[in-house]
Amino acid sequence: MTTRASSLSTRLALLFGGLLLACGMAATALQIHAGEQREQEVVQRLSLGLAGHIAGHELLMLPDGPDAANVQRLFSKLMDVNPSVELYLLGTDGRILAEAAPPGHLKRHQVDLAPLQRLLAGAPLPVWGDDPRSETGQKVFSAAPLWTNGRLAAYVYVVLIGEEHQALLHPWADAPAHIGAMALITGLALLAGLLALRAITRPLQRLTRIVQHFDHEGLAGLEAAQQALAGEPPSNDEIGRLRQAFGHMAQRLAAQWQDLNNQDQQRRELVANISHDLRTPLTSLHGYLETLKLKAALLSEAERARYLDVAIGQSRQVGRLAQELFELARLEYGAVTLSREVFALPDLVQDVCQKFALAAEARGQRLQADIAPALPQVEADVGLIERVLTNLIDNAIRHTPPGGLIELRLRALGQAVEVRVRDDGPGVHEHLKPHLFVRPSFQTGLRGRAGGLGLVIVSRILQLHGSQIRLQPSERGAVFSFQLAPVNA
């Protein structure tokens, strides 16, 4: 192959194809071996009496023993008639006394007599005996004893499948050598398959170890898992894509864990800030009420009235903060559902401005609405949008100095209606701007102001409406804006 298979399925197909080929070769070798065994059994069964017929020839024996010269001539003639057999005359100790093999073909000069005795005793066929023309080979044979004067003098030993017969049927080798070669090839194929399987499964084992480490260590093992995955070589096969998917999952888990940590930190800051903001009015409220209780007889009517006014004011502040906290909790946990309806936004703005007119006048502030004509109607939750306007105007009133201007401006902006609330207050701290609508802060300074729960509530309500609150650039004070889509948008 000139192109490397990059797909795991392709490599597995090649691997299992090779293993099947090896198994097929092994099965073929076993079939050949079984066929050869069956062939030799049939030949031996059909030729079992051949040696006995030859042993009955009168020219083989002399009164004192075998006639070696006549035996060799007889064997030569018989082998010329039937070249597939080889004839030998064996002594009682297995030594070859006479044979007709071509020069150089005889490899050993003695034959083990144990197989002959088993064959003559009627052992199950096939029975293999030593092949004199092979140093280690064995073949099926026929054998018969030769007797002289009532005593055993020699054996006629006939190899039934001789060299020429075997050369015609199996030109490559004899059966044992052939089986050995096939076994060697099969073993090499299996070894190559195992090596290929190990190469394929090694990345999966590494990925398994990474996943197990992540499973044992939990979130603490995220960074180690990401580093381990980053060190893996790139791959486009199935295991590579699985590794990439796990890496992306680990990244998402790390990001989600970081988000959870951030949210937890924000909640901690929220609790700390609310506790700080609650502590001040509660301490003041407690102090004034305790003073009224302990020194009621010593205080004048005007002092008692002033103390009560201060206590009531601090009580209102605590109540407002508690109400805002309750609203934020409902918005955070999805307990608020929108009740949309079509309405005129200018009418709602006018109503909210009238509600805050006395509060602004008491502070010496000017509250005015600048509304463009012919604005389209919008579809939203009237109560929640009123809450947005209320929070923005209340925030502006609390931070605008006496004589300052608070302006609500409505304009058509593209396919939306834009609402802007501008004030002459000190503006917003620079370091608070990125998180102004995400987490509340109650710390204030000389050159700016912080955003409390009111702005966070505004942001959550507008998110439910598919909008968002923005802090616009301004040379003086703060400018907050948001947009609502008209009905026909």
Side-chain angles (χ1 to χ4, degrees), residues 324-325 327-329 331-332 338 381 383-396 398 419 421 436-440 451-471 479-484:
E324 289 180 344
L325 186 61
E327 290 182 6
L328 180 60
L331 291 168
E332 289 283 354
L338 296 183
D381 189 308
L384 292 180
I385 297 301
E386 181 180 3
R387 183 61 176 166
V388 169
L389 295 173
T390 298
N391 285 8
L392 292 176
I393 296 176
D394 179 69
N395 179 73
R398 286 187 290 109
V419 180
V421 179
L436 185 63
F437 309 112
V438 177
R439 60 173 182 257
L453 283 173
L455 293 180
V456 179
I457 292 173
V458 167
S459 178
R460 297 294 187 271
I461 292 176
L462 291 177
Q463 287 176 4
L464 292 177
H465 286 82
S467 182
Q468 59 179 335
I469 186 70
R470 291 185 175 89
L471 177 64
V479 179
F480 297 95
S481 69
F482 66 91
Q483 299 175 11
L484 293 176

Side-chain angles (χ1 to χ4, degrees), residues 363-438:
R363 291 173 173 262
Q365 300 165 344
R366 291 176 296 145
L367 176 61
Q368 64 182 32
D370 181 8
I371 302 174
L375 290 176
Q377 290 185 320
V378 297
E379 183 177 8
D381 189 308
V382 178
L384 292 180
I385 297 301
E386 181 180 3
R387 183 61 176 166
V388 169
L389 295 173
T390 298
N391 285 8
L392 292 176
I393 296 176
D394 179 69
N395 179 73
I397 289 176
R398 286 187 290 109
H399 292 94
T400 299
L405 173 64
I406 301 170
E407 180 185 48
L408 270 75
R409 182 178 178 183
L410 268 63
R411 292 288 188 272
L413 185 64
Q415 296 296 320
V417 177
E418 183 187 56
V419 180
R420 288 199 176 207
V421 179
R422 186 183 69 84
D423 62 60
D424 291 337
V428 180
H429 284 286
E430 286 294 330
H431 72 280
L432 294 177
K433 287 182 179 179
H435 310 289
L436 185 63
F437 309 112
V438 177

Side-chain angles (χ1 to χ4, degrees), residues 19 164 168 232 273 306 352 365-366 388 446 457 468:
L19 292 177
E164 295 185 11
L168 291 174
E232 291 291 322
N273 291 332
R306 183 169 62 85
V352 174
Q365 300 165 344
R366 291 176 296 145
V388 169
L446 298 177
I457 292 173
Q468 59 179 335

Side-chain angles (χ1 to χ4, degrees), residues 102-306:
H105 282 233
L106 198 65
K107 302 299 182 182
R108 47 185 164 183
H109 300 279
Q110 187 168 358
V111 174
D112 185 9
L113 294 180
L116 278 74
Q117 294 169 356
R118 290 199 304 271
L119 181 67
L120 295 175
L125 303 182
V127 177
W128 284 277
D130 291 344
D131 180 11
R133 299 193 185 186
S134 171
E135 294 180 353
T136 58
Q138 290 188 329
K139 293 182 179 179
V140 291
F141 62 94
S142 176
L146 287 175
W147 300 89
T148 301
N149 297 326
R151 64 179 180 83
L152 180 64
Y155 291 97
V156 175
Y157 185 68
V158 182
V159 176
L160 300 177
I161 301 178
E163 284 183 322
E164 295 185 11
H165 186 146
Q166 185 173 357
L168 291 174
L169 291 181
H170 311 292
W172 53 87
D174 57 352
H178 173 65
I179 295 298
M182 294 296 292
L184 178 62
I185 294 174
T186 302
L188 291 176
L190 289 174
L191 178 61
L194 291 175
L195 292 176
L197 182 61
R198 184 172 181 268
I200 291 174
T201 58
R202 187 182 302 170
L204 186 58
Q205 292 173 349
R206 290 197 296 265
L207 179 60
T208 301
R209 287 193 295 269
I210 293 173
V211 174
Q212 289 176 342
H213 177 72
F214 171 68
D215 181 50
H216 293 157
E217 298 296 329
L219 294 172
L222 271 177
E223 185 176 354
Q226 289 177 316
Q227 292 177 354
L229 290 171
E232 291 291 322
S235 175
N236 289 327
D237 57 20
E238 285 80 355
I239 294 179
R241 290 195 288 270
L242 179 62
R243 185 169 58 242
Q244 293 174 1
F246 178 75
H248 294 158
M249 183 192 70
Q251 292 177 358
R252 288 195 298 271
L253 286 175
Q256 291 172 358
W257 178 245
Q258 186 61 43
D259 289 341
L260 288 175
N261 282 336
N262 293 338
Q263 292 177 13
D264 183 66
Q265 182 63 29
Q266 291 175 11
R267 289 189 178 94
R268 291 174 184 271
E269 292 179 0
L270 174 62
V271 171
N273 291 332
I274 291 176
S275 300
H276 176 271
D277 204 51
L278 279 172
R279 186 167 55 248
T280 301
L282 285 175
T283 301
S284 177
L285 176 61
H286 179 77
Y288 279 101
L289 291 177
E290 190 175 47
T291 300
L292 285 173
K293 179 181 178 180
L294 297 177
K295 299 181 179 181
L298 302 178
L299 296 176
S300 64
E301 189 68 26
E303 288 175 329
R304 285 196 297 270
R306 183 169 62 85

